[in-house]
Amino acid sequence: MDARSDDLYPTRLERPSQSFERLDPVVHSSGQDRTNGPLSETDLARYERDGFLVFDRFLDSASVRSFLDDLRAYESNDSVLNSEGTITEPGKQEIRSIFGIHEVSDRFDRLTRDPEILAMVRQLLGGDAYIHQSRINYKPGLHGKGFNWHSDFETWHAEDGMPRMRAVSFSITLTDNTPFNGPLMLVPGSHKQFVPCVGRTPEDNYQSSLKKQELGVPGDKALNDLIERHGITAPTGPAGSLIIFECNTLHGSNANMSPWPRSNLFFVYNSVENQLQQPFCGNKPRPDFLGNRTQTEALQPVSRRELSRTG
Ligand code: 6CS
Ligand code: FE
């Protein structure tokens, strides 16, 4: 397939290709827009350097408990269990992920429009944003499988047509993340390199990749080079912690061999100026629950009153 002239990050190639420096800024705001928000200049400089930030105890334990109660309810909710956005572990019935969770849960929808979170998003993306994708990764005890090393942007560029690196993931841990239950692992500084991946993307790749990702996984040499140079960080901490990671930061996680689940919420903000185009891999667009193309208006913060509403 000939590369498109508008494709700045060619990937899913027939043969290996050198990684190269990203063509987009990490923090897209400047001047007043950069300083005017909850993230300090130290936070922003650390995010630019590492490609992620970690804040313990972002959500209080009562809010975490409400989300966990919702999760437990979903496990016996047939319409959720039978939804296309609900992915089970390979060969098992345990839930691996529920995508589009901000459309299933009011509580979650309100969280995506939390005024403090949206103010951070404005500082990082340099303006208005919408939800590109949301999910809960359950990673149940003893049976939760891992996620191979990958850059989310590589997938969202190839399979969703996301043109530039101007998106960010917010992940909130709903269970303690320990060294034993498969915590998220990130390679600090890896966001600065785009690593083209090899392999043509089959149609409907997502029907297998969400269970076990084979494509969009960098080659061993690239992984070795990046991890030898930058190391691996696995933020562990109490439930309610917030991990903010840039769309191109290399990450993955091990299987959960402990009896304790590692359930995290993820919601991805994309700049309204970075709307999805035709997938660069040449396939038809993925469903909306993976790459939202229909509700792309700028998110407005919820009122404090609405935030405090329980239920
Ligand atoms: O394909 C995707 O969009 C999903 N896959 C992974 C492994 N991370 C990002 C996202 O949830
Ligand atoms: Fe990912």
Side-chain angles (χ1 to χ4, degrees):
M1 181 194 75
D2 296 336
R4 280 168 32 186
S5 58
D6 59 342
D7 185 355
L8 299 179
Y9 295 103
T11 187
R12 309 291 168 96
L13 308 171
E14 285 177 21
R15 60 184 66 83
S17 174
Q18 275 301 319
S19 62
F20 55 90
E21 199 161 331
R22 67 185 280 144
L23 305 169
D24 294 285
V26 176
V27 172
H28 293 262
S29 62
S30 57
Q32 283 280 340
D33 292 341
R34 180 180 171 109
T35 53
N36 181 22
L39 297 173
S40 67
E41 186 47 44
T42 304
D43 293 327
L44 293 170
R46 183 172 296 144
Y47 182 79
E48 280 173 331
R49 182 193 65 192
D50 296 342
F52 62 90
L53 289 170
V54 183
F55 299 99
D56 279 357
R57 302 191 195 288
F58 180 78
L59 266 196
D60 60 43
S61 45
S63 305
V64 171
R65 204 172 312 122
S66 306
F67 277 109
L68 278 176
D69 291 346
D70 289 353
L71 289 203
R72 296 296 158 259
Y74 297 148
E75 289 175 286
S76 52
N77 175 325
D78 285 343
S79 71
V80 171
L81 292 175
N82 298 326
S83 142
E84 195 192 6
T86 299
I87 312 297
T88 52
E89 291 290 355
K92 300 241 184 232
Q93 281 314 304
E94 274 93 349
I95 298 178
R96 176 175 171 88
S97 306
I98 299 180
F99 283 86
I101 193 67
H102 69 295
E103 286 162 351
V104 172
S105 145
D106 277 346
R107 190 190 321 281
F108 191 95
D109 174 57
R110 287 197 300 273
L111 179 64
T112 63
R113 296 182 290 123
D114 175 285
E116 186 182 8
I117 288 179
L118 282 187
M120 290 193 242
V121 171
R122 295 189 69 85
Q123 285 179 283
L124 296 174
L125 300 187
D128 288 331
Y130 68 94
I131 295 293
H132 163 68
Q133 179 187 107
S134 71
R135 66 193 182 279
I136 290 176
N137 281 349
Y138 271 62
K139 199 174 273 197
L142 301 178
H143 300 294
K145 294 289 174 276
F147 292 78
N148 284 332
W149 288 114
H150 65 282
S151 149
D152 289 342
F153 174 75
E154 191 277 342
T155 291
W156 297 336
H157 181 73
E159 300 191 48
D160 296 331
M162 184 183 281
R164 306 298 290 261
M165 294 179 184
R166 196 170 176 184
V168 58
S169 287
F170 278 59
S171 177
I172 291 184
T173 62
L174 295 181
T175 56
D176 293 351
N177 275 220
T178 77
F180 313 110
N181 64 350
L184 185 66
M185 300 189 294
L186 301 125
V187 177
S190 58
H191 62 304
K192 294 179 184 168
Q193 289 287 315
F194 181 71
V195 183
C197 296
V198 174
R200 164 140 179 59
T201 311
E203 283 294 344
D204 299 330
N205 178 50
Y206 69 91
Q207 290 174 352
S208 60
S209 69
L210 299 179
K211 283 182 181 286
K212 187 173 182 338
Q213 183 173 359
E214 309 282 0
L215 283 169
V217 178
D220 288 359
K221 182 176 180 326
L223 284 174
N224 259 308
D225 291 351
L226 278 170
I227 296 173
E228 284 295 331
R229 198 180 335 150
H230 298 292
I232 297 174
T233 299
T236 53
S241 302
L242 169 63
I243 303 169
I244 302 173
F245 59 106
E246 210 270 342
C247 60
N248 189 46
T249 303
L250 196 64
H251 63 284
S253 62
N254 287 313
N256 182 359
M257 291 177 68
S258 83
W260 311 299
R262 189 230 70 184
S263 301
N264 291 1
L265 294 177
F266 291 82
F267 34 118
V268 182
Y269 294 93
N270 187 29
S271 164
V272 294
E273 294 168 31
N274 195 39
Q275 310 252 346
L276 304 186
Q277 298 170 9
Q278 281 307 307
F280 288 92
C281 69
N283 293 350
K284 67 180 187 296
R286 297 199 299 176
D288 241 37
F289 68 80
L290 287 172
N292 168 26
R293 295 169 183 273
T294 51
Q295 294 170 45
T296 60
E297 305 75 38
L299 282 176
Q300 299 307 321
V302 291
S303 63
R304 289 273 167 220
R305 185 177 50 78
E306 198 184 352
L307 256 188
S308 60
R309 202 182 71 213
T310 53

